[in-house]
């Protein structure tokens, strides 16, 4: 593997690449929260062995990349620009984009706004138009009287308003992150414990949604996350894996450990406004969706999310729900994930 960096608008993005050959197509991997380029450690060599060049980068606010503090520097215009800037740096006119969690929203945004730059797109864990700034496929101007059963992804209310309504009933992490300074301060007190509990809560064996038993008042995110029921190593994460995450998240000034994720939540309203111009757009390139069958994010979104994804996609070539995996499907079940991804890559025109 080779390491490099690209500077765009004063922000340095650190990346790792695994090349198959000068003329081979590229696959760009975009992580979410909590994540790093390291989150794709099982995919980069597998994709390169299959004849693609592969690259993953630490998002702005994470790892070895720059960590600006202004939330507005994390809006979708900036994160879309990060992908395009990396492509330009590598000399790519087009690439296959793979994105997990916040990275899924990112690659879908690139796809609908710059379809000429996207050979194909793979969303992981978060379906199209169900990110924190999405509208659940309702479009920019839904008919009067339309029902919006979800807590977020609505066209009629700003996301922060929706988050507050949920938080009036029980703890809700999306509302927690809207508060200035508090998340930075509280989560920085014990980054290792927070990462351990969050990784466990979101995996197939965890119980993230137990937060409904906690009130918003007086509780931090760390308070509502349970300790793992088994110690490390887990089947999908070693002690060294966790230590890598801890080291990379804390490679910063105090208080900036989780600024990338925190600010991605805080900019939800801004992204909702930006996204209005593309609210009726379809995902037109070849696409694939992969998620763990036990992913609590899918449980939060609702049963019709995958039907909406299919309706908004022109060339959806598969929906893969992988057993034995939660939110971190590419790490929890890497062999099954890679098999689905490589099969999809083999269907692309560049491989035929």
């Amino acid at each position: 593997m080779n390491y490099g960096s690209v500077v765009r608008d004063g922000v340095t993005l650190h990346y790792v690449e695994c090349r198959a050959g000068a003329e081979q197509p590229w696959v760009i991997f975009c992580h979410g929260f909590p994540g790093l380029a390291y989150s794709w450690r099982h995919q980069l060599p597998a994709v390169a062995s299959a004849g693609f060049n592969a690259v993953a980068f630490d998002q702005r606010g994470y790892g070895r990349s720059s960590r600006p503090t202004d939330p507005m520097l994390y809006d979708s215009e900036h994160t879309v620009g990060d992908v395009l800037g990396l492509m330009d740096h590598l000399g790519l006119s087009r690439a296959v984009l793979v994105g997990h969690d916040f990275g899924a929203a990112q690659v879908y945004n690139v796809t609908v706004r710059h379809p000429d730059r996207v050979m194909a797109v793979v969303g992981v864990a978060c379906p199209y138009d169900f990110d924190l700034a999405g509208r659940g496929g309702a479009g920019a101007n839904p008919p009067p009287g339309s029902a919006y059963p979800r807590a977020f992804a609505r066209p009629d209310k700003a996301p922060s308003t929706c988050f507050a309504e949920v938080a009036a009933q029980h703890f809700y992490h999306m509302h927690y992150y809207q508060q200035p300074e508090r998340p930075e301060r509280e989560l920085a007190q014990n980054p290792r414990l927070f990462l351990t509990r969050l990784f466990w809560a979101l995996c197939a064996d965890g119980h993230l949604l137990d937060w409904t038993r906690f009130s918003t008042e007086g509780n931090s995110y760390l308070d509502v996350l349970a300790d793992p029921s088994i110690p490390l190593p887990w089947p999908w994460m070693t002690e060294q894996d966790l230590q890598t995450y801890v080291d990379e998240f804390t490679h910063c000034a105090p208080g900036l450990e989780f600024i990338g994720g925190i600010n991605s939540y805080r900019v939800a309203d801004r992204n909702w406004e930006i996204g209005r111009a593309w609210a009726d757009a379809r995902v037109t390139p070849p696409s694939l969706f992969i998620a763990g069958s036990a992913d609590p994010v899918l449980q939060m979104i609702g049963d019709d999310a995958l039907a909406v994804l299919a309706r908004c996609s022109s060339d959806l070539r598969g929906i893969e729900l992988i057993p034995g995996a939660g939110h971190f499907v590419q790490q929890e079940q890497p062999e099954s994930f890679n098999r689905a991804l490589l099969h999809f890559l083999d269907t692309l025109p560049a491989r035929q």
Side-chain angles (χ1 to χ4, degrees):
M1 292 190 184
N2 298 311
Y3 297 87
S5 62
V6 56
V7 179
R8 178 185 174 275
D9 292 339
V11 170
T12 299
L13 300 176
H14 171 82
Y15 65 84
V16 54
E17 62 178 26
C18 202
R19 297 196 181 211
E23 303 303 320
Q24 301 304 320
W26 282 78
V27 181
I28 298 176
F29 292 92
C30 302
H31 69 78
F33 180 64
L36 299 164
Y38 185 76
S39 303
W40 304 104
R41 62 195 177 277
H42 302 298
Q43 283 68 53
L44 295 175
V47 167
S49 295
F52 288 79
N53 295 315
V55 61
F57 65 99
D58 290 342
Q59 302 271 15
R60 58 175 63 211
Y62 295 79
R64 302 302 170 109
S65 294
S66 299
R67 305 195 191 198
T69 57
D70 182 356
M72 293 302 105
L73 295 179
Y74 291 79
D75 72 21
S76 61
E77 292 182 344
H78 288 88
T79 58
V80 165
D82 288 344
V83 176
L84 298 180
L86 177 61
M87 291 177 65
D88 292 343
H89 172 75
L90 295 171
L92 310 180
S93 60
R94 299 170 74 222
V96 178
L97 306 182
V98 182
H100 173 257
D101 189 76
F102 281 122
Q106 182 180 28
V107 299
Y108 282 133
N109 282 334
V110 176
T111 300
V112 299
R113 300 178 194 183
H114 303 275
D116 57 311
R117 303 296 301 270
V118 180
M119 182 184 304
V121 62
V122 181
V124 182
C126 298
Y128 175 59
D129 211 33
F130 286 90
D131 57 272
L132 302 188
R135 288 167 168 79
N141 297 292
S146 297
Y148 310 113
R150 281 168 286 274
F152 61 96
R154 296 172 60 124
D156 62 328
K157 289 183 181 180
S160 64
T161 300
C162 298
F163 304 161
E165 290 175 353
V166 177
Q169 305 170 47
H170 56 74
F171 180 88
Y172 197 47
H173 70 309
M174 298 182 191
H175 177 70
Y176 173 75
Y177 284 126
Q178 303 304 308
Q179 303 168 81
E181 300 182 3
R182 181 186 174 194
E184 290 97 319
R185 181 181 67 254
E186 292 180 342
L187 301 182
Q189 293 174 9
N190 198 331
R192 182 183 181 89
L193 181 61
F194 175 61
L195 285 168
T196 302
R197 288 182 176 179
L198 187 57
F199 276 125
W200 180 258
L202 283 160
C203 81
D205 295 313
H207 300 281
L208 177 74
L209 303 186
D210 280 357
W211 64 30
T212 59
R213 299 188 289 108
F214 295 83
S215 67
T216 296
E217 189 67 29
N219 285 309
S220 75
Y221 200 178
L222 191 58
D223 294 331
V224 307
L225 297 173
D227 285 321
S229 58
I230 59 174
L232 286 165
W234 306 331
W236 62 279
M237 181 173 283
T238 67
E239 289 269 10
Q240 185 55 52
D241 289 333
L242 180 64
Q243 190 60 49
T244 297
Y245 279 106
V246 173
D247 291 344
E248 294 300 306
F249 271 94
T250 59
H251 184 77
C252 63
L256 298 184
E257 290 85 351
F258 303 108
I259 196 66
I262 292 169
N263 276 342
S264 293
Y265 284 102
R266 284 184 179 149
V267 78
D269 285 0
R270 165 71 175 154
N271 284 341
W272 188 75
E273 292 292 349
I274 294 171
R276 188 185 306 276
W278 290 277
D280 295 301
R282 296 174 60 81
V283 177
T284 55
S287 63
L288 173 69
F289 180 74
I290 308 175
S293 63
D295 191 335
V297 171
L298 289 183
Q299 298 173 38
M300 284 190 288
I301 291 174
D303 295 338
D304 65 336
L306 299 181
V308 172
L309 167 71
R311 190 180 74 238
C312 295
S313 303
S314 299
D315 189 5
L316 181 61
R317 300 190 179 183
I319 294 176
E320 298 284 345
L321 300 180
I322 295 179
H327 191 57
F328 306 106
V329 56
Q330 80 274 36
Q331 299 178 74
E332 294 178 64
Q333 296 294 338
E335 292 184 3
S336 296
F337 183 95
N338 290 351
R339 188 162 46 247
L341 176 61
L342 295 177
H343 175 74
F344 171 70
L345 294 177
D346 280 339
T347 70
L348 302 181
R351 308 295 290 169
Q352 296 173 351

